[in-house]
Each structure stands twice: as structure tokens, then as C-alpha cells.
Amino acid sequence: MQNKPLVEVKKLQKNYGDTEVLKEIDGTVMPGQVICVIGPSGSGKSTFLRCLNMLEKPTAGQVLFEGKDTSKFSEEELTTLRERMGMVFQSFNLFPNLTVLDNLKLAPIRVKKMSDKEAEDKALSLLKRVGLEEKANVYPSSLSGGQAQRVAIARALAMDPEMLLFDEPTSALDPEMVGEVLAVMKELAEDGMTMVVVTHEMGFAREVANEVWFMADGYILEKNKPNEMFEHPQNPRTKDFISKII
Ligand code: ADP
Ligand code: MG
């Protein structure tokens, strides 16, 4: 692991009108780290992820990416930032009118100006990586939820991101499909991908996360190594939350 932070969050605040969603968030993500973010519904986890890649503009505070203050980024730099921080959503968000292969080729061709051949080779190798080579020419509607999410991960990887943000990637899946998606994510982590993962999959967090952050009331109330977090939570709110999900 290199010792310069990839992302630093400093006194991040986000309001929607009068609602203070994020009050004061601080945190550091090092290259290669996997951070799992847990917390009650409505506590601001999705908002936090969207502030990391500036899909939402923070009300106050800063997000530094590789030491650079993203609030000072031009539109062009923001686009690049979002390419370098790929995002995977609960609901896959694949383009329904494109085949799996074309879903993967679209951004590399349009944004990275990759040749068709190069984008296709890359797409096929990524599909292989997530175990779905044989689905290249089908449309998303014929995929199971687990397959669709693996395609969504492959699509995010097609842009060669520096890090990936996952927003409850397995919450919309039937239970029998959760494992195949977590297995792909675990492999990415083992390959050194930096990841911030909002999830309630405690088994995954225990096995894969370097740190778990517990978010509630607009703050990160506790940060710890997974075993410490789950076995010896310090904050009463963390204790209460963990007792309900385990
Ligand atoms: P979580 O992901 O932890 O469930 P969210 O970040 O989705 O939480 O939402 C936190 C709070 O912010 C909720 O009260 C939600 O209603 C509110 N919120 C989220 N997005 C918006 C928005 N675009 N406009 C207004 N309120 C929002
Ligand atoms: Mg959410």
C-alpha cells in the first residue's frame, strides 16, 4: 500500500434545504483499501458516496482526490474524476436497449475514444473476469439480478477506474445471488482495487474490509477494523445497530 491518501474527506457537510444530511464527515481512503460503510437507512450513506465523486456538491467541507480539492475542479476535471471513481448502484442501471457487450463498450468508445476492436477485446476480457463471457450478446432483460450486477461491475471496470464506489450492490438481489456478486467484489479487492462499499453484508465486511465506518445522524460515529467493530462496538448507537443486523 502506498502511503499517500487517495481520498481525504474533511469536515464534509451536505444539506438539502433545511435538512442537514451530512453534518461533519471526516475520513481517509488509502490506495488499495476497502472501506465498508454501514448505518441505518436514511443516515446519509448514499449522499456520502455521491459527494465523493461530486455527483452531489458538498454544502461545506472538502473532498480531496489525490491531494486535489475537488470543489475547485472544472467541469472537465469533474468528468475525469467520475471516470476514475466508478460507481455501482443497487439497481444496476444497465442500458436496456444495448447488449451486454455494448453496455461495456459504450463509455470507453465515447469517452476514452477507444477503437471498437480495443473496446470489444477489453469488454470480453472483463466479462470473462466476472464469469459472464457467454452473455456478451444478450440484452440486460434476460439476465438474472446477480448476472446484471456482475455486468454492471464489469462496465465500471471498463473505464479503468482508480477506485470503485458501491451503493448497496446486493440489496436488490434474491438471496441466492448475493454470493456471486460478493465473490467478484472480493476478487477485485484482492487484486488491489480501492473500494468504498455501502453494505449490510457483515460477512463480506469481516472478510474483505480494512475498516468499517458506522454512519448515523450525519456523522461517522465509529471507525474500526471489522472484527473490533462487530465484536466490541464502542458507541452505543453502533452497538444497537449491530445487535439488530447480526
Ligand atoms: P441512506 O443511503 O443512508 O439511506 P440517503 O443518503 O439516501 O441515506 O438519504 C439521507 C437523507 O437525505 C434522507 O432523509 C433523504 O430523504 C435525504 N435526501 C437524499 N437525497 C435527497 C435529495 N436529492 N433531495 C432531498 N433530500 C434528499
Ligand atoms: Mg442509500
PDB file of all heavy atoms in Angstrom, residues 201-226:
ATOM      1  N   GLU A 201     -23.752  -6.410   4.343  1.00  0.00           N
ATOM      2  CA  GLU A 201     -23.264  -7.789   4.308  1.00  0.00           C
ATOM      3  C   GLU A 201     -22.091  -7.913   5.269  1.00  0.00           C
ATOM      4  O   GLU A 201     -20.939  -7.642   4.931  1.00  0.00           O
ATOM      5  CB  GLU A 201     -22.823  -8.155   2.878  1.00  0.00           C
ATOM      6  CG  GLU A 201     -23.954  -8.250   1.885  1.00  0.00           C
ATOM      7  CD  GLU A 201     -24.887  -9.427   2.197  1.00  0.00           C
ATOM      8  OE1 GLU A 201     -24.437 -10.417   2.814  1.00  0.00           O
ATOM      9  OE2 GLU A 201     -26.068  -9.341   1.815  1.00  0.00           O
ATOM     10  N   MET A 202     -22.399  -8.331   6.474  1.00  0.00           N
ATOM     11  CA  MET A 202     -21.373  -8.350   7.518  1.00  0.00           C
ATOM     12  C   MET A 202     -20.275  -9.378   7.242  1.00  0.00           C
ATOM     13  O   MET A 202     -19.124  -9.161   7.583  1.00  0.00           O
ATOM     14  CB  MET A 202     -22.014  -8.630   8.883  1.00  0.00           C
ATOM     15  CG  MET A 202     -22.964  -7.540   9.291  1.00  0.00           C
ATOM     16  SD  MET A 202     -22.171  -5.915   9.254  1.00  0.00           S
ATOM     17  CE  MET A 202     -23.441  -4.962   8.458  1.00  0.00           C
ATOM     18  N   GLY A 203     -20.652 -10.480   6.598  1.00  0.00           N
ATOM     19  CA  GLY A 203     -19.651 -11.497   6.264  1.00  0.00           C
ATOM     20  C   GLY A 203     -18.607 -10.915   5.322  1.00  0.00           C
ATOM     21  O   GLY A 203     -17.397 -11.089   5.515  1.00  0.00           O
ATOM     22  N   PHE A 204     -19.083 -10.178   4.323  1.00  0.00           N
ATOM     23  CA  PHE A 204     -18.186  -9.525   3.369  1.00  0.00           C
ATOM     24  C   PHE A 204     -17.307  -8.503   4.097  1.00  0.00           C
ATOM     25  O   PHE A 204     -16.097  -8.457   3.915  1.00  0.00           O
ATOM     26  CB  PHE A 204     -19.003  -8.841   2.265  1.00  0.00           C
ATOM     27  CG  PHE A 204     -18.168  -8.061   1.300  1.00  0.00           C
ATOM     28  CD1 PHE A 204     -17.534  -8.698   0.243  1.00  0.00           C
ATOM     29  CD2 PHE A 204     -18.004  -6.689   1.447  1.00  0.00           C
ATOM     30  CE1 PHE A 204     -16.756  -7.982  -0.657  1.00  0.00           C
ATOM     31  CE2 PHE A 204     -17.212  -5.965   0.561  1.00  0.00           C
ATOM     32  CZ  PHE A 204     -16.592  -6.614  -0.493  1.00  0.00           C
ATOM     33  N   ALA A 205     -17.929  -7.686   4.920  1.00  0.00           N
ATOM     34  CA  ALA A 205     -17.179  -6.647   5.637  1.00  0.00           C
ATOM     35  C   ALA A 205     -16.082  -7.283   6.505  1.00  0.00           C
ATOM     36  O   ALA A 205     -14.939  -6.836   6.507  1.00  0.00           O
ATOM     37  CB  ALA A 205     -18.129  -5.814   6.498  1.00  0.00           C
ATOM     38  N   ARG A 206     -16.433  -8.321   7.199  1.00  0.00           N
ATOM     39  CA  ARG A 206     -15.470  -9.004   8.054  1.00  0.00           C
ATOM     40  C   ARG A 206     -14.290  -9.560   7.276  1.00  0.00           C
ATOM     41  O   ARG A 206     -13.144  -9.474   7.680  1.00  0.00           O
ATOM     42  CB  ARG A 206     -16.155 -10.207   8.699  1.00  0.00           C
ATOM     43  CG  ARG A 206     -16.363 -10.066  10.153  1.00  0.00           C
ATOM     44  CD  ARG A 206     -17.144 -11.290  10.603  1.00  0.00           C
ATOM     45  NE  ARG A 206     -18.059 -10.916  11.629  1.00  0.00           N
ATOM     46  CZ  ARG A 206     -17.759 -10.962  12.924  1.00  0.00           C
ATOM     47  NH1 ARG A 206     -16.590 -11.392  13.327  1.00  0.00           N
ATOM     48  NH2 ARG A 206     -18.639 -10.577  13.812  1.00  0.00           N
ATOM     49  N   GLU A 207     -14.613 -10.161   6.133  1.00  0.00           N
ATOM     50  CA  GLU A 207     -13.589 -10.852   5.369  1.00  0.00           C
ATOM     51  C   GLU A 207     -12.736  -9.899   4.540  1.00  0.00           C
ATOM     52  O   GLU A 207     -11.549 -10.120   4.363  1.00  0.00           O
ATOM     53  CB  GLU A 207     -14.293 -11.823   4.404  1.00  0.00           C
ATOM     54  CG  GLU A 207     -13.737 -13.220   4.427  1.00  0.00           C
ATOM     55  CD  GLU A 207     -14.426 -14.067   3.380  1.00  0.00           C
ATOM     56  OE1 GLU A 207     -15.685 -14.093   3.371  1.00  0.00           O
ATOM     57  OE2 GLU A 207     -13.732 -14.660   2.561  1.00  0.00           O
ATOM     58  N   VAL A 208     -13.360  -8.854   4.014  1.00  0.00           N
ATOM     59  CA  VAL A 208     -12.702  -8.064   2.974  1.00  0.00           C
ATOM     60  C   VAL A 208     -12.313  -6.649   3.419  1.00  0.00           C
ATOM     61  O   VAL A 208     -11.309  -6.121   2.971  1.00  0.00           O
ATOM     62  CB  VAL A 208     -13.600  -8.002   1.711  1.00  0.00           C
ATOM     63  CG1 VAL A 208     -12.954  -7.198   0.600  1.00  0.00           C
ATOM     64  CG2 VAL A 208     -13.926  -9.412   1.210  1.00  0.00           C
ATOM     65  N   ALA A 209     -13.108  -6.047   4.296  1.00  0.00           N
ATOM     66  CA  ALA A 209     -12.866  -4.633   4.619  1.00  0.00           C
ATOM     67  C   ALA A 209     -11.611  -4.466   5.466  1.00  0.00           C
ATOM     68  O   ALA A 209     -11.293  -5.299   6.308  1.00  0.00           O
ATOM     69  CB  ALA A 209     -14.063  -4.053   5.365  1.00  0.00           C
ATOM     70  N   ASN A 210     -10.896  -3.371   5.210  1.00  0.00           N
ATOM     71  CA  ASN A 210      -9.819  -2.967   6.100  1.00  0.00           C
ATOM     72  C   ASN A 210     -10.374  -2.180   7.268  1.00  0.00           C
ATOM     73  O   ASN A 210      -9.872  -2.246   8.380  1.00  0.00           O
ATOM     74  CB  ASN A 210      -8.800  -2.096   5.358  1.00  0.00           C
ATOM     75  CG  ASN A 210      -8.212  -2.820   4.167  1.00  0.00           C
ATOM     76  OD1 ASN A 210      -8.612  -2.577   3.036  1.00  0.00           O
ATOM     77  ND2 ASN A 210      -7.301  -3.734   4.426  1.00  0.00           N
ATOM     78  N   GLU A 211     -11.441  -1.410   6.957  1.00  0.00           N
ATOM     79  CA  GLU A 211     -12.090  -0.622   8.010  1.00  0.00           C
ATOM     80  C   GLU A 211     -13.579  -0.617   7.766  1.00  0.00           C
ATOM     81  O   GLU A 211     -14.025  -0.657   6.620  1.00  0.00           O
ATOM     82  CB  GLU A 211     -11.639   0.848   7.945  1.00  0.00           C
ATOM     83  CG  GLU A 211     -10.368   1.143   8.655  1.00  0.00           C
ATOM     84  CD  GLU A 211      -9.977   2.621   8.503  1.00  0.00           C
ATOM     85  OE1 GLU A 211     -10.861   3.479   8.282  1.00  0.00           O
ATOM     86  OE2 GLU A 211      -8.772   2.877   8.609  1.00  0.00           O
ATOM     87  N   VAL A 212     -14.331  -0.515   8.851  1.00  0.00           N
ATOM     88  CA  VAL A 212     -15.771  -0.318   8.755  1.00  0.00           C
ATOM     89  C   VAL A 212     -16.088   1.036   9.397  1.00  0.00           C
ATOM     90  O   VAL A 212     -15.558   1.366  10.458  1.00  0.00           O
ATOM     91  CB  VAL A 212     -16.544  -1.441   9.484  1.00  0.00           C
ATOM     92  CG1 VAL A 212     -18.044  -1.209   9.383  1.00  0.00           C
ATOM     93  CG2 VAL A 212     -16.188  -2.809   8.904  1.00  0.00           C
ATOM     94  N   TRP A 213     -16.899   1.803   8.681  1.00  0.00           N
ATOM     95  CA  TRP A 213     -17.324   3.109   9.201  1.00  0.00           C
ATOM     96  C   TRP A 213     -18.818   3.035   9.492  1.00  0.00           C
ATOM     97  O   TRP A 213     -19.604   2.659   8.606  1.00  0.00           O
ATOM     98  CB  TRP A 213     -17.074   4.217   8.167  1.00  0.00           C
ATOM     99  CG  TRP A 213     -15.633   4.434   7.814  1.00  0.00           C
ATOM    100  CD1 TRP A 213     -14.534   3.807   8.340  1.00  0.00           C
ATOM    101  CD2 TRP A 213     -15.117   5.367   6.841  1.00  0.00           C
ATOM    102  NE1 TRP A 213     -13.380   4.273   7.756  1.00  0.00           N
ATOM    103  CE2 TRP A 213     -13.701   5.226   6.839  1.00  0.00           C
ATOM    104  CE3 TRP A 213     -15.705   6.290   5.990  1.00  0.00           C
ATOM    105  CZ2 TRP A 213     -12.880   5.985   6.001  1.00  0.00           C
ATOM    106  CZ3 TRP A 213     -14.882   7.051   5.148  1.00  0.00           C
ATOM    107  CH2 TRP A 213     -13.486   6.897   5.168  1.00  0.00           C
ATOM    108  N   PHE A 214     -19.180   3.413  10.703  1.00  0.00           N
ATOM    109  CA  PHE A 214     -20.604   3.413  11.071  1.00  0.00           C
ATOM    110  C   PHE A 214     -21.137   4.841  11.000  1.00  0.00           C
ATOM    111  O   PHE A 214     -20.653   5.737  11.695  1.00  0.00           O
ATOM    112  CB  PHE A 214     -20.797   2.847  12.484  1.00  0.00           C
ATOM    113  CG  PHE A 214     -22.209   2.981  12.974  1.00  0.00           C
ATOM    114  CD1 PHE A 214     -23.231   2.231  12.402  1.00  0.00           C
ATOM    115  CD2 PHE A 214     -22.528   3.868  14.002  1.00  0.00           C
ATOM    116  CE1 PHE A 214     -24.551   2.358  12.834  1.00  0.00           C
ATOM    117  CE2 PHE A 214     -23.840   4.002  14.444  1.00  0.00           C
ATOM    118  CZ  PHE A 214     -24.848   3.243  13.865  1.00  0.00           C
ATOM    119  N   MET A 215     -22.107   5.039  10.126  1.00  0.00           N
ATOM    120  CA  MET A 215     -22.658   6.375   9.919  1.00  0.00           C
ATOM    121  C   MET A 215     -24.044   6.492  10.522  1.00  0.00           C
ATOM    122  O   MET A 215     -24.888   5.617  10.327  1.00  0.00           O
ATOM    123  CB  MET A 215     -22.721   6.651   8.413  1.00  0.00           C
ATOM    124  CG  MET A 215     -23.054   8.084   8.082  1.00  0.00           C
ATOM    125  SD  MET A 215     -23.058   8.379   6.289  1.00  0.00           S
ATOM    126  CE  MET A 215     -21.337   8.559   5.985  1.00  0.00           C
ATOM    127  N   ALA A 216     -24.273   7.562  11.275  1.00  0.00           N
ATOM    128  CA  ALA A 216     -25.609   7.838  11.809  1.00  0.00           C
ATOM    129  C   ALA A 216     -25.694   9.304  12.183  1.00  0.00           C
ATOM    130  O   ALA A 216     -24.673   9.917  12.535  1.00  0.00           O
ATOM    131  CB  ALA A 216     -25.895   6.976  13.042  1.00  0.00           C
ATOM    132  N   ASP A 217     -26.873   9.856  12.071  1.00  0.00           N
ATOM    133  CA  ASP A 217     -27.120  11.252  12.473  1.00  0.00           C
ATOM    134  C   ASP A 217     -26.212  12.257  11.773  1.00  0.00           C
ATOM    135  O   ASP A 217     -25.923  13.324  12.323  1.00  0.00           O
ATOM    136  CB  ASP A 217     -26.931  11.427  13.998  1.00  0.00           C
ATOM    137  CG  ASP A 217     -27.763  10.460  14.798  1.00  0.00           C
ATOM    138  OD1 ASP A 217     -28.803  10.013  14.282  1.00  0.00           O
ATOM    139  OD2 ASP A 217     -27.370  10.152  15.947  1.00  0.00           O
ATOM    140  N   GLY A 218     -25.727  11.938  10.578  1.00  0.00           N
ATOM    141  CA  GLY A 218     -24.895  12.896   9.852  1.00  0.00           C
ATOM    142  C   GLY A 218     -23.424  12.865  10.220  1.00  0.00           C
ATOM    143  O   GLY A 218     -22.657  13.714   9.787  1.00  0.00           O
ATOM    144  N   TYR A 219     -23.043  11.870  11.040  1.00  0.00           N
ATOM    145  CA  TYR A 219     -21.640  11.746  11.436  1.00  0.00           C
ATOM    146  C   TYR A 219     -21.167  10.306  11.219  1.00  0.00           C
ATOM    147  O   TYR A 219     -21.991   9.388  11.188  1.00  0.00           O
ATOM    148  CB  TYR A 219     -21.456  12.049  12.933  1.00  0.00           C
ATOM    149  CG  TYR A 219     -21.847  13.440  13.332  1.00  0.00           C
ATOM    150  CD1 TYR A 219     -23.110  13.701  13.854  1.00  0.00           C
ATOM    151  CD2 TYR A 219     -20.941  14.492  13.201  1.00  0.00           C
ATOM    152  CE1 TYR A 219     -23.475  14.987  14.223  1.00  0.00           C
ATOM    153  CE2 TYR A 219     -21.299  15.777  13.569  1.00  0.00           C
ATOM    154  CZ  TYR A 219     -22.563  16.021  14.082  1.00  0.00           C
ATOM    155  OH  TYR A 219     -22.914  17.292  14.438  1.00  0.00           O
ATOM    156  N   ILE A 220     -19.857  10.142  11.124  1.00  0.00           N
ATOM    157  CA  ILE A 220     -19.329   8.782  11.250  1.00  0.00           C
ATOM    158  C   ILE A 220     -19.035   8.616  12.734  1.00  0.00           C
ATOM    159  O   ILE A 220     -18.117   9.228  13.278  1.00  0.00           O
ATOM    160  CB  ILE A 220     -18.078   8.570  10.375  1.00  0.00           C
ATOM    161  CG1 ILE A 220     -18.496   8.652   8.901  1.00  0.00           C
ATOM    162  CG2 ILE A 220     -17.460   7.200  10.662  1.00  0.00           C
ATOM    163  CD1 ILE A 220     -17.351   8.646   7.932  1.00  0.00           C
ATOM    164  N   LEU A 221     -19.867   7.831  13.383  1.00  0.00           N
ATOM    165  CA  LEU A 221     -19.773   7.741  14.841  1.00  0.00           C
ATOM    166  C   LEU A 221     -18.664   6.796  15.285  1.00  0.00           C
ATOM    167  O   LEU A 221     -18.180   6.887  16.402  1.00  0.00           O
ATOM    168  CB  LEU A 221     -21.109   7.272  15.430  1.00  0.00           C
ATOM    169  CG  LEU A 221     -22.277   8.250  15.267  1.00  0.00           C
ATOM    170  CD1 LEU A 221     -23.533   7.690  15.923  1.00  0.00           C
ATOM    171  CD2 LEU A 221     -21.946   9.616  15.867  1.00  0.00           C
ATOM    172  N   GLU A 222     -18.309   5.883  14.398  1.00  0.00           N
ATOM    173  CA  GLU A 222     -17.263   4.932  14.782  1.00  0.00           C
ATOM    174  C   GLU A 222     -16.577   4.393  13.536  1.00  0.00           C
ATOM    175  O   GLU A 222     -17.224   4.104  12.538  1.00  0.00           O
ATOM    176  CB  GLU A 222     -17.899   3.787  15.587  1.00  0.00           C
ATOM    177  CG  GLU A 222     -16.892   2.858  16.206  1.00  0.00           C
ATOM    178  CD  GLU A 222     -17.471   2.023  17.354  1.00  0.00           C
ATOM    179  OE1 GLU A 222     -18.604   2.283  17.804  1.00  0.00           O
ATOM    180  OE2 GLU A 222     -16.761   1.102  17.785  1.00  0.00           O
ATOM    181  N   LYS A 223     -15.254   4.282  13.637  1.00  0.00           N
ATOM    182  CA  LYS A 223     -14.452   3.663  12.562  1.00  0.00           C
ATOM    183  C   LYS A 223     -13.597   2.610  13.226  1.00  0.00           C
ATOM    184  O   LYS A 223     -12.958   2.897  14.234  1.00  0.00           O
ATOM    185  CB  LYS A 223     -13.471   4.681  11.969  1.00  0.00           C
ATOM    186  CG  LYS A 223     -14.033   5.604  10.966  1.00  0.00           C
ATOM    187  CD  LYS A 223     -12.926   6.489  10.408  1.00  0.00           C
ATOM    188  CE  LYS A 223     -13.552   7.630   9.658  1.00  0.00           C
ATOM    189  NZ  LYS A 223     -12.781   8.852   9.734  1.00  0.00           N
ATOM    190  N   ASN A 224     -13.568   1.427  12.644  1.00  0.00           N
ATOM    191  CA  ASN A 224     -12.730   0.414  13.267  1.00  0.00           C
ATOM    192  C   ASN A 224     -12.443  -0.736  12.324  1.00  0.00           C
ATOM    193  O   ASN A 224     -13.038  -0.821  11.252  1.00  0.00           O
ATOM    194  CB  ASN A 224     -13.387  -0.113  14.542  1.00  0.00           C
ATOM    195  CG  ASN A 224     -12.370  -0.292  15.660  1.00  0.00           C
ATOM    196  OD1 ASN A 224     -11.197  -0.576  15.403  1.00  0.00           O
ATOM    197  ND2 ASN A 224     -12.812  -0.118  16.886  1.00  0.00           N
ATOM    198  N   LYS A 225     -11.538  -1.585  12.728  1.00  0.00           N
ATOM    199  CA  LYS A 225     -11.324  -2.824  11.987  1.00  0.00           C
ATOM    200  C   LYS A 225     -12.593  -3.652  12.150  1.00  0.00           C
ATOM    201  O   LYS A 225     -13.250  -3.581  13.189  1.00  0.00           O
ATOM    202  CB  LYS A 225     -10.126  -3.582  12.561  1.00  0.00           C
ATOM    203  CG  LYS A 225      -8.841  -2.789  12.518  1.00  0.00           C
ATOM    204  CD  LYS A 225      -7.668  -3.691  12.179  1.00  0.00           C
ATOM    205  CE  LYS A 225      -6.405  -2.904  11.932  1.00  0.00           C
ATOM    206  NZ  LYS A 225      -6.498  -1.944  10.804  1.00  0.00           N
ATOM    207  N   PRO A 226     -12.929  -4.443  11.106  1.00  0.00           N
ATOM    208  CA  PRO A 226     -14.213  -5.144  11.151  1.00  0.00           C
ATOM    209  C   PRO A 226     -14.431  -5.988  12.414  1.00  0.00           C
ATOM    210  O   PRO A 226     -15.498  -5.897  13.027  1.00  0.00           O
ATOM    211  CB  PRO A 226     -14.210  -6.016   9.896  1.00  0.00           C
ATOM    212  CG  PRO A 226     -13.016  -5.667   9.117  1.00  0.00           C
ATOM    213  CD  PRO A 226     -12.227  -4.640   9.824  1.00  0.00           C
TER     214      PRO A 226
END
